[in-house]
Amino acid sequence: MLHRNLLLLRRTRMTSFSTFSIILAAFCSVQSQNYRQVLEKSLLFYEGQRSGRLPANNRIPWRGDSMLEDGDGDVDLTGGYFDAGDHVKFNFPQAWALSTIAMGGLDFKEGFIASGQLNNLLEAYKWGADYYLKCHTGETELFVQVGNATADHNSWDIPERWTDPRPAYKITAERPGSDIAGETSALFSAGTLLFQTVNDTYASILLDHAKSLYTFANQYRGKYSDSVPEATPFYTSWAFEDEIAWAAAWLYRASGEERYLLEAEALYAEFNLQYVNDFSWDGKASGVDILLYQTTGRAEYGQKLISYCDWVVDQAPRTPKGLLFLSEWGSLRAASNSLFVCVQAGKLGLNTEKYFNFAKTQIDLMLGDWGRSFVVGYGTNPPTRYHHRAASCPSPPVPCGWSEFDNINPNPHVLNGALVGGPGPNDEYIDVRNDAVRNEVAVDYNAGFQGVVASLEEYFGSGKK
Ligand SMILES: *[C@@H]1O[C@H](CO)[C@@H](O)[C@H](O)[C@H]1NC(C)=O
Ligand SMILES: *[C@@H]1O[C@H](CO)[C@@H](O)[C@H](O)[C@H]1NC(C)=O
């Protein structure tokens, strides 16, 4: 064990490390992380992000009902999740977070079961999916955002105290958004599989919506950020093609209907999705490869996954301490998402040991081996001044504002389980609230991350040690 860790460390770019730090780091990584506890907390994080009327079994005592007027005319749009430290419901990244939460739950279910977290995972998914069912108001009508980002970002306060009206934005046949319709279809397909043995009625409702949204996405093509520019500039979509293919591939996995496989493969060819890129709220191409390799086992998809994951393990940029560094904003999110692709590949039999060992080294760095924990409420020296309005404000009726944003005190509430953005390219990191690039937390940060943690629990075990 010790020997293997030393080898893994040497393979990272830690040439400047002294012998002492190598031994120290190896010693630390022997103290295995408690993945079960991380999963428990990650799901608590999602509970802390809930918008709407909270149920009686809410486990976050410092959160209450909020945004109960969200809607459009007669349409009720309460519920769902706040995006990050702010209170807008940006449906595009949130939808990807939900499809990825569900995918982690489907493909690494044993990890969630071993941790006693399967039920919390289903609840986390359903809280989001129920909101998306409300958003899907017609065959060619889907709400894509609630809240005015400019107005929201001008305020620093708890969501429970917000009273201004919040605009809701939608796509239609005239103002299409294949990206967000496709991603919403994908989240419903993934949920179909997650719930089919739990509640068949719910599963078939999800599948009906998934099919309808896929048709909408494919027939009325365009980017939601072009069609509904009022709802941007946040989360502007780079392309819509990958989401249409992702939706088709998910529908094949969820329904087993051959036509969706044929369409997924035709779309894959039509859109030339040949370059595997990083998996994220905006990029789904590598996710399509996973789904198509899972369902068909064809070597061409497996080869692409291997070439991507070999690059991630052997060549991708890293910080001096060895963390993958693929994005300036939210570096740990980008790292986790790439690991999510590669543990999926590993589970499908592609370089299994290599990809799982690498994922373990990376996740253990995030959880403590780097020198501190980057997960709120977990491990040694976790972040305490993460960029999050609700957690940084005292409980009502004490007011809150920009002085709470500026002060140097730790947040009075602990948003357990939140993965912060993470260090810069040279391991720069300060636990300070006004650095949103490195200290924000968001619903898309934890989605791939918790899937990887579940995969490690499944592959290595942890809770017993
Ligand atoms: C959004 O908020 C900004 C700042 O308060 C305001 O100027 C703008 O008119 C608002 N837009 C909408 C659509 O409500
Ligand atoms: C199953 O899902 C349906 C549709 O959402 C719901 O009405 C029903 O109460 C659920 N059943 C159980 C046992 O939770």
Side-chain angles (χ1 to χ4, degrees), residues 148-152 154 165-167 169 230:
N148 172 341
T150 311
D152 187 277
N154 284 341
R166 306 215 307 164
Y169 305 96
E230 319 81 279

Side-chain angles (χ1 to χ4, degrees), residues 301-322:
Y301 304 118
Q303 275 312 317
K304 283 181 53 190
L305 289 167
I306 287 174
S307 68
Y308 174 70
C309 291
D310 278 355
W311 175 81
V312 169
V313 176
D314 300 325
Q315 288 171 42
R318 303 218 202 139
T319 71
K321 290 192 186 185

Side-chain angles (χ1 to χ4, degrees), residues 1-11 22-23 26:
M1 190 66 180
L2 231 169
H3 181 64
R4 194 176 67 193
N5 280 326
L6 273 170
L7 282 178
L8 278 173
L9 281 166
R10 286 229 180 87
R11 222 179 290 151
I22 289 179
I23 290 168

Side-chain angles (χ1 to χ4, degrees), residues 56 62 70 77 144 152 165 169 186 191 210 232 258 302 315 322 334 338 340 371 401 432 440:
W62 47 275
D70 278 1
L77 296 173
V144 298
D152 187 277
Y169 305 96
T232 52
E258 201 70 17
Q315 288 171 42
S338 295
F340 186 71
V432 58
E440 188 152 44

Side-chain angles (χ1 to χ4, degrees), residues 126 199 201-202 205:
K126 190 168 187 297
N199 182 336
T201 312
Y202 191 61
I205 292 169

